[in-house]
Amino acid sequence: EAQVTQNPRYLITVTGKKLTVTCSQNMNHEYMSWYRQDPGLGLRQIYYSMNVEVTDKGDVPEGYKVSRKEKRNFPLILESPSPNQTSLYFCASSSPFSQLRRYYNEQFFGPGTRLTVL
Amino acid sequence: QQQVKQSPQSLIVQKGGISIINCAYENTAFDYFPWYQQFPGKGPALLIAIRPDVSEKKEGRFTISFNKSAKQFSLHIMDSQPGDSATYFCAASNTNFNKFYFGSGTKLNVKP
């Protein structure tokens, strides 16, 4: 089954304790992104990657890091989490070349990771 | 500053009615305007999308109307059903399809 998976799905942590949220896709997509979803603000893009070793900042990159060492994986790293990073996080992948898409570069989202930083 | 402004925040419609959600943008470099549907506990899923070279795109009961001069676009759900109850997000993207800007979302409740 074509999908984007995220782990963990739920995480409660404390301020300053480094954490990583993993994202993996099995569709051979070139593009991957991380978003955070907050009430009243919609989804905001944190970082995106257009291919292996190619990453760039989205709208709200402060406090986050990413890496893209393999095409299928795009982990999100919070080096020193703070309470204002409490949010619902989504990973997404897409490809301009995929046969599975209905629209050009259609984004497929993972199930989300709910993060609480105390 | 929100690049894409969405209204209303919430919407209640009777079964069989028309649901209309509106979005507006400022950046004329935006070249792709998708709508996403999100059910509770799930990730958003692409519903329908439009490029600015057409004024309307229809897929079944879902239609996007696009007004390039006014920099506005809207989602119309005809014959709304209780199963359409979800949160809807409009979005806009540049030509490279790498940066996306989402609206704040509309929670739709279709009453039986």
Side-chain angles (χ1 to χ4, degrees):
Chain A
E1 180 191 356
Q3 60 183 348
V4 179
T5 56
Q6 294 179 226
N7 282 292
R9 294 289 313 279
Y10 303 90
L11 180 59
I12 300 174
T13 188
V14 295
T15 299
K17 186 176 181 183
K18 181 179 178 180
L19 66 92
T20 299
V21 183
T22 64
C23 172
S24 184
Q25 49 94 4
N26 62 2
M27 296 171 278
N28 200 36
H29 284 171
E30 290 76 23
Y31 291 23
M32 297 185 77
S33 285
W34 275 104
Y35 295 88
R36 60 178 290 174
Q37 182 177 357
D38 302 289
L41 295 176
L43 289 96
R44 291 179 293 168
Q45 195 173 29
I46 302 170
Y47 269 96
Y48 63 90
S49 170
M50 295 178 74
N51 216 321
V52 175
E53 302 292 2
V54 180
T55 63
D56 207 348
K57 296 177 182 178
D59 223 18
V60 288
E62 296 78 19
Y64 304 94
K65 282 177 58 177
V66 293
S67 68
R68 187 95 182 270
K69 292 183 169 44
E70 304 167 283
K71 196 173 186 180
R72 64 183 294 127
N73 297 323
F74 191 43
L76 179 69
I77 303 156
L78 284 73
E79 294 266 1
S80 182
S82 61
N84 65 11
Q85 293 177 299
T86 292
S87 187
L88 180 58
Y89 290 86
F90 288 100
C91 179
S93 74
S94 62
S95 171
F97 314 110
S98 172
Q99 299 299 312
L100 296 174
R101 58 183 170 85
R102 291 184 299 128
Y103 291 94
Y104 184 82
N105 217 25
E106 176 179 354
Q107 285 195 95
F108 293 86
F109 282 80
T113 295
R114 187 165 290 283
L115 172 65
T116 301
V117 183
L118 302 174
Chain B
Q1 177 187 346
Q2 196 111 20
Q3 296 252 9
V4 179
K5 294 191 173 135
Q6 183 172 346
S7 63
Q9 187 175 346
S10 62
L11 184 59
I12 299 174
V13 173
Q14 289 295 125
K15 179 182 173 183
I18 302 173
S19 304
I20 302 174
I21 305 170
N22 301 300
C23 286
Y25 65 97
E26 286 298 324
N27 190 343
T28 55
F30 290 150
D31 195 46
Y32 173 65
F33 301 89
W35 284 88
Y36 288 84
Q37 181 187 54
Q38 184 181 32
F39 293 105
K42 303 289 186 184
L46 181 64
L47 186 63
I48 187 173
I50 197 168
R51 301 289 298 271
D53 52 343
V54 295
S55 60
E56 187 175 281
K57 180 72 178 287
K58 185 174 182 178
E59 280 197 8
R61 295 184 295 110
F62 301 91
T63 300
I64 301 177
S65 297
F66 188 83
N67 186 329
K68 190 173 181 177
S69 60
K71 290 184 280 187
Q72 294 174 347
F73 58 111
S74 59
L75 175 70
H76 296 237
I77 306 174
M78 312 300 286
D79 187 27
S80 298
Q81 299 296 312
D84 296 331
S85 297
T87 300
Y88 292 81
F89 294 96
C90 61
S93 174
N94 58 10
T95 318
N96 291 331
F97 299 91
N98 49 23
K99 295 196 82 167
F100 281 82
Y101 298 91
F102 282 75
S104 54
T106 297
K107 189 169 183 179
L108 172 65
N109 185 6
V110 181
K111 297 268 190 201

